[in-house]
Every structure is written in C-alpha cells, then in structure tokens.
Amino acid sequence: MIVLKTSRELSAMRKAGKISQAALKLAGEAVEPGVSTWEIDKIVRQYIEKMGATPSFLGYGGFPGSACISVNHVVIHGIPSKSQVLKKGDIVSVDVGACFEGFHGDNAWTFPCGEISGEAKSLLEATEKSLWLGIEQAKPGNRLGDIGHAVQEYVEARSYSVVREFVGHGVGAKLHEDPSVPNYGTPGRGVRLQPGMVIAIEPMVNAGKCGVRILQDGWTTVTQDGSLSAHFEHTVAITPDGPVILTRLD
Ligand code: MG
C-alpha cells in the first residue's frame, strides 16, 4: 500500500531529510586514507543523535551500524568495521538514514578516498548523473517505469550495469514502504506517480556485470565479478510542481 503524505507530513520529512543529508556530508568529509569505516559510522551516529534523531539503520533487521559503508566492489550494506581502513584510491559508498519526529530520510553517496583512478571517477560521475536523470522523471503523471528507464538507459549506454536485486522504495513513517522503485524499466509502465508520494531513488551501478552476491555475514553485498560499484540516493517527494528533494540542506 502506498501511503500519500500531507503537506504537514512532508515538512516533517524535510527535517528528517536535512539531518540525513548533513550526516552524509559529514561522513563524506571524513573519508580519507587511514580512517576506518567504524570511525565514519561513529561520526554519523553522533551527529544524528545530537540532532535529537535516531539512525534509521541501527538495529534495522539487526544491522549493527548507523551507516552502511561499502568500499570498492561492495555494492551496498557494508558493515562498518575497525579493521577496514580506507586507502587512497578507494571509492566509499555511505548510506545514511535518520528518523526525526516519526519520519525517515534516506540518502547515499559514493565518495572518492584521495586520488582515484579515471575508471572509478567515470563510474561515480555516471551513477550520480543517472540519479539526477531519475529524479527529473519523478513528477505527477509519470510512472515508475519512467524513472527506472531514465537511470538504466544512461547507465547502460556507458557499458555499466544496473543492479536488479536491490531497488529504491517508498519512504515515510517506515524506512522502506511501497512502492519498489527499480533502476530499470519501461517508459509509461508501472505505478503512476502522484502528489504526496515520497520515494528513495537510488541507482546502484556496477562497472562490470549486474550480478551481486551476499557474503556470509548476511549483509555485505558485492559484485559477482569483483568490479567496482557505486551508489547514489536521495529521498524525493512528488509534488504538483515536480520532484522535491527532501534530503538536501538548503
Ligand atoms: Mg534506500
């Protein structure tokens, strides 16, 4: 069931989105060689709690961190760890959610750790661009397939691939709500978008093939072929005026 949000609920979601984005920015600033993913997670948790909010991911389905931190060939759901120390050239996907006044914000970004290779840089640029193209389609009258298609078309034209097993989702009083928001699709197909819907659009893009597998810890999701993977996400409200990004600072 898709829960439509009132304008009052959207302003509450805006606050949760702002906290989520600020936490993600802090995480990005902390990404540098020699820093462990555990330290970055701690920065995220401390900031969210200081703002009177709750880290959405902490304890979610038993997840042990406040942020998912996924390095290089890890696609998503990387578990923060003291033993994982970042190196120059890594690409570091940080996924952060915060719950404030009963509503969640959810966002992710892939940060370069120091100087990165040209290949890695192109992957980050293409994945970010596909997010913006997906967001552009998030307007009333369009359908979910328009979003997925915009992402997929751009990504595949660059010979990258879009992950199928994990998708975007509705966001609200629950972190994951209906509908599912795939990063692939057919224009004009799927659920029709209407004002009051809030969705997380989150392309996960592999430099190689689209296959992924989950490691024995039950969380860490890696590319099957060991290729690099990037992840960018915003929480977006569908409004009569078009898409409004809730996970932004200004
Ligand atoms: Mg999400």
Side-chain angles (χ1 to χ4, degrees):
M1 189 191 60
I2 296 172
V3 184
L4 299 179
K5 279 79 183 176
T6 63
S7 54
R8 223 182 61 187
E9 289 169 330
L10 287 181
S11 4
M13 290 198 70
R14 185 73 184 82
K15 293 182 200 163
K18 226 177 203 177
I19 295 169
S20 307
Q21 171 66 196
L24 182 59
K25 282 235 152 86
L26 281 175
E29 286 162 14
V31 167
E32 55 180 313
V35 174
S36 74
T37 55
W38 182 86
E39 288 169 82
I40 295 171
D41 183 72
K42 192 169 128 188
I43 289 168
V44 165
R45 190 185 69 241
Q46 286 179 340
Y47 175 78
I48 291 174
E49 288 173 349
K50 191 182 84 185
M51 299 307 288
T54 313
S56 304
F57 299 174
L58 187 58
Y60 186 96
F63 190 77
S66 296
C68 298
I69 307 181
S70 308
V71 181
N72 295 335
H73 71 297
V74 181
V75 181
I76 48 168
H77 300 166
I79 299 174
S81 155
K82 280 183 181 170
S83 63
Q84 181 159 37
V85 177
L86 300 176
K87 307 180 305 293
K88 184 182 151 203
D90 285 342
I91 60 169
V92 184
S93 301
V94 182
D95 194 346
V96 169
C99 185
F100 187 71
E101 292 176 351
F103 288 99
H104 294 272
D106 188 6
N107 58 185
W109 209 258
T110 303
F111 302 101
C113 182
E115 183 115 350
I116 59 173
S117 70
E119 291 84 35
K121 211 170 162 199
S122 304
L123 176 68
L124 266 48
E125 284 168 1
T127 310
E128 181 186 347
K129 176 71 176 169
S130 76
L131 169 64
W132 296 118
L133 292 172
I135 291 173
E136 248 175 50
Q137 296 298 319
K139 51 191 179 192
N142 269 6
R143 290 178 183 267
L144 280 176
D146 295 307
I147 296 176
H149 177 75
V151 171
Q152 181 182 19
E153 191 184 39
Y154 186 82
V155 163
E156 291 182 353
R158 276 140 197 89
S159 301
Y160 299 134
S161 57
V162 154
V163 171
R164 310 300 162 115
E165 285 89 341
F166 295 92
V167 295
H169 50 91
V171 186
K174 287 195 247 157
L175 177 63
H176 293 119
E177 296 185 352
D178 286 336
S180 290
V181 183
N183 298 301
Y184 52 89
T186 308
R189 294 286 187 86
V191 171
R192 188 182 288 278
L193 304 175
Q194 51 174 314
M197 286 175 65
V198 177
I199 53 176
I201 302 176
E202 48 176 321
M204 290 153 251
V205 174
N206 297 348
K209 295 202 169 69
C210 67
V212 299
R213 66 188 173 91
I214 300 174
L215 300 188
Q216 273 190 337
D217 60 25
W219 287 106
T220 312
T221 302
V222 301
T223 55
Q224 247 164 26
D225 61 9
S227 65
L228 292 177
S229 188
H231 181 206
F232 289 76
E233 173 183 34
H234 270 306
T235 299
V236 179
I238 318 292
T239 80
D241 304 323
V244 170
I245 297 172
L246 300 179
T247 40
R248 66 187 302 159
L249 292 183
D250 44 9

